[in-house]
Every structure is written in structure tokens, then in C-alpha cells.
Amino acid sequence: MMSSLVPVILSGGAGTRLWPLSRELMPKQLLKLTGERTLLQDTALRLGTPPVVVCNHEHRFIVAEQLREVGIEPKAVVIEPVGRNTAPAAAVAALILAESDPDALMLLMPSDHLIADTAAFRRAVEVAVPLAQGGRLVTFGIQPTGPNTGYGYIKAGAPLPGGNMVERFVEKPNLATAERYVASGQYTWNSGIFLLPVGLFLAELETFAPGMVAGCRAARALGRSDMFFFRLDDDSFAGLTGQSIDYAVMEHSQKVAVVPVEMGWSDIGSWSALWQESPKDADGNAVQGDVLVLDSANCYLRSQGRLVAAIGLRDLVVVATDDAVLVADKAHDQEVKAVVDALKREGRSEATQGTRGWRPWGWFQTVEQGDRFKVKHIHVDPGAKLSLQKHWHRSEHWVVVRGTALVTCADTSFVLRENESTFIPAGTPHRLENPGKVPLRLIEVQSGEYVGEDDIVRLEDAYGRGAE
């Protein structure tokens, strides 16, 4: 019965309410927020079967790498050229699954949710399967632990085996309304997780949003394979109107059922929510990293490197990364998005990216930057290699601090080992490879009139990338 059930993971969110830890180029689903695995990795492991993952262009390589780290080989990784919310992403996944199995069930899951009780989640899915096979679009309603104004609500209607028909979906309410919903016992929180028969879902979407289905079919038909990714057609997908699956289908269909579940669920939509889900000391402080706490209570305190000392704080969020520090009252943590918007208006790179940039071969992190120079820490995965490239405006000095580097410089190739270095003059074709079985780490010092990341002319690339 479960053999036709395929997890579909939507991994396109930006997670700006958890800035500065989460940013557009490294959003919360790709971070280790509550344990040793990222939220994406936990989501992919939740059902134990290979998923379809829908993500954006910028995240594609780190998504693939994180799945590889936990031994997951996805059925497909679909690349959206632009974000168009959850309904088009779900439609594309349904079209892909329907090609091989028109009766398939897709378990649609956001990649950035926390579920503490995986066994309860799986039991709820088992309850939902016969409802879906019986012609229902099934959503999962979270049993409220109290009135919460940050979630949408689902009102249960006529009873079904293991659940109810959905009477209506409700937008995020005010506090008085939320209290009334919880007291009535008729409402659950809208988890945004769905079990959908692909044929029925596409038929309902065709009824309520036919243009969306047509656009998704074109994006699929005109798309192309790129290494182990599938790229949707840019123009077809970009022409779609962005809509959530709730707005596009669920609020209109008469075939929606809800299965209530208690599974330790949170969408980690704010620093307060992350504080709530984190281990705490005797004073209610959630502490991660190099943090010294004195006479403070009910705070979320996190450092990604440097020492943070907190004295006499109450109900605050303090998060320090290597390029930004957030200090906020927990009561105002929903306003963090306004900080990100303000940084964008000022053209600040901190709004969207940190100092670490991910690439298909590994990552680099900017250690220091000033007038006419930049210092990077570069990590190259075993067996990986950068493109054969040159830079018009900068020269580079490389010092190996761990592992072995195979260097190509002009017409010469040679090996560098730990504590050895080389110089790459501006305008010289060069390549860096890791021929070893351990990660290659090196320090790169760039110098020249311009040290921007876009000064790259790729002459040859194993990953199909052109000049930046």
C-alpha cells in the first residue's frame, strides 16, 4: 500500500525571520538548528524512501551534498528558475510522478519544519493513505498546544475514518479568535504538509487554476537535464502567478480531508519558536556556541564563533555570526524580516549572504577583505576540482594547510602538500584539484585592482557553469 507513496520536499524558502543565521543564500532548512543534521536532512530521512526535491538554482549543489551526506539518493532534484510559491512546485512534482505512476501518492513536505516524534508522523501518514486512495486530498492538522496567532487554522467537518472532512481553512487569527478556536476543540493548526493523489491533485488544480497547470506542463516539457538535476524551463515557469497550495486548491476543493496529529511539530518561524524547541539551562536560557551567561533568564543566545558574554538579560535574542549581530526582544522577533528588508534597501550584502559561499566542489569563506585584497579559506571535497579559469584583475597566492592540491598554472601541473605555496599571476589560466581522500584546505590571498567574485572567466568546467 505504501509502495506508491513518494515524498516531495519543497526547499525554496528564504527563512529571513532567523537572520542573521538564515539568509537567502543559506536558508534555515540548510542549517543545523536543533541537532547534528540540517532540517532538510531530517525531512529527507523522515519517511525512509527516496524523495523528489524542488529547490532553487542557488541552493542546488548544497542540497545535493546534504542529501549525499545522509545517504539519500533522490528520485529527482528539480530546479526552479524563480520562486513561485508552493502550488506550482507541487504541480511540477505531481506531473513528474504521474508520468511513471498515475496512481502515485505524493507526501508534500516543507523542508524547514521540525518534527520531534517521527513515529507519530509515520502513523499519521499510514492513517492518511486510505483516505487519499479513496479520493481525498489530505492535510495534516497539528493539535494546538495553545492559542497561537502565527499559524493558520483548519476547522474540522464531517468525520471520516482517522480524520475529518475540512470545513474551512482560516488565516492567522488575532489572539481572541485563536483562544476561541482552541477552546472549541474543532480546529487544528495548518501544518502545510499534504498527502495528495497526483491525478486528483492535478485534476482539481486544472479546475481552479488551469493556467497554472498549463504553465507547469510547459516548464516540464521544455526543461532539460543538467548533471543530476532537472531544470524547469525559465520562461514558462517565470510566467506563472505565484500561489500557495492552500489558495490555489485546498480552500476551493470539496475533497479535502484533515488527519489530526501530535508529533512535536514546529515550523521554526521565529527565534522564539527556536528558543521553545531548544534545550535550556536552569534559568530558561537556550545557549549555543561560545557564550558566557551571567544573571540572565529566558534568552536565546548563540555564537557562531566569537565569544558572547551576556549579563543581566531577560527575554532577549542575541545571535552573533562572523559578520553580523542581532539583538532583539523575543516579543519583537517577528520584526526581524524588517531588518532584512532595510538592509536590502541599503544594498547591504549581509541581507542575503554570509561570508561562506557554497560551490559544487566545496566552499569558500571570506576571512578578511580590504582595499585591493581579500583573504579566503577554501575547502575542496575529495576528488573535486574547480574550473579551469583566469582572472583579469587579481593575482592569487595559495597556501595549503591540509591535504594535497593538484595545481594547474598555465601549461604546468604540480602537486602542493601541507605548508607549501604557489603564486597565480593575473590573466593566467589555472585550476585547483583535490586528488586525495581527505578534504583540501588552503588559504588564498587575492590582490589586485578588483577582487570581486564576478571576475572569473571559466575556460573549462566539470559542472557546466559559464563565466560569472
Side-chain angles (χ1 to χ4, degrees), residues 1 48 82 121 136 148 194 208-209 230 239 278 286 306 320 324 328 335 352 360 367 396 403 405 424 430 435 467:
M1 180 173 62
V82 292
F121 170 72
R136 306 292 184 192
N148 192 306
F194 306 92
F208 302 117
F230 182 82
S278 300
R306 68 190 66 189
E335 299 168 31
T352 58
V367 178
E396 297 177 345
I424 309 294
H430 61 278

Side-chain angles (χ1 to χ4, degrees), residues 84-88 205 208-209 212 241-248 252:
R84 285 296 179 261
N85 216 316
T86 56
L205 191 60
F208 302 117
M212 182 180 296
T241 300
Q243 275 191 301
S244 72
I245 192 171
D246 299 76
Y247 287 141
H252 306 292

Side-chain angles (χ1 to χ4, degrees), residues 142-154 170-183 187-190 265-270 272-273 276-277 333-334:
I142 307 300
Q143 297 284 16
T145 56
N148 192 306
T149 60
Y151 300 140
Y153 285 70
I154 302 170
V170 184
E171 286 294 324
K172 297 174 183 178
N174 59 34
L175 181 58
T177 304
E179 289 173 343
R180 189 169 70 251
Y181 288 166
V182 173
Y187 291 83
T188 53
W189 292 336
N190 186 353
W265 173 89
S266 173
D267 69 349
I268 313 290
S270 66
S272 292
Q276 190 71 44
E277 300 299 332
D333 63 356
Q334 289 290 341

Side-chain angles (χ1 to χ4, degrees), residues 3 49-50 74 140 152 206 210 214 228 242 255 257-258 330 352 368 371 398 407 416 419 441 446 450:
S3 61
T49 54
F140 295 87
E206 188 85 60
F228 36 82
K255 300 178 180 180
V258 58
K330 282 196 299 182
T352 58
E368 185 64 73
D371 183 33
W398 295 347
V407 177
L416 291 180
N419 299 320
R441 298 282 187 95
Q446 303 175 1
Y450 179 72

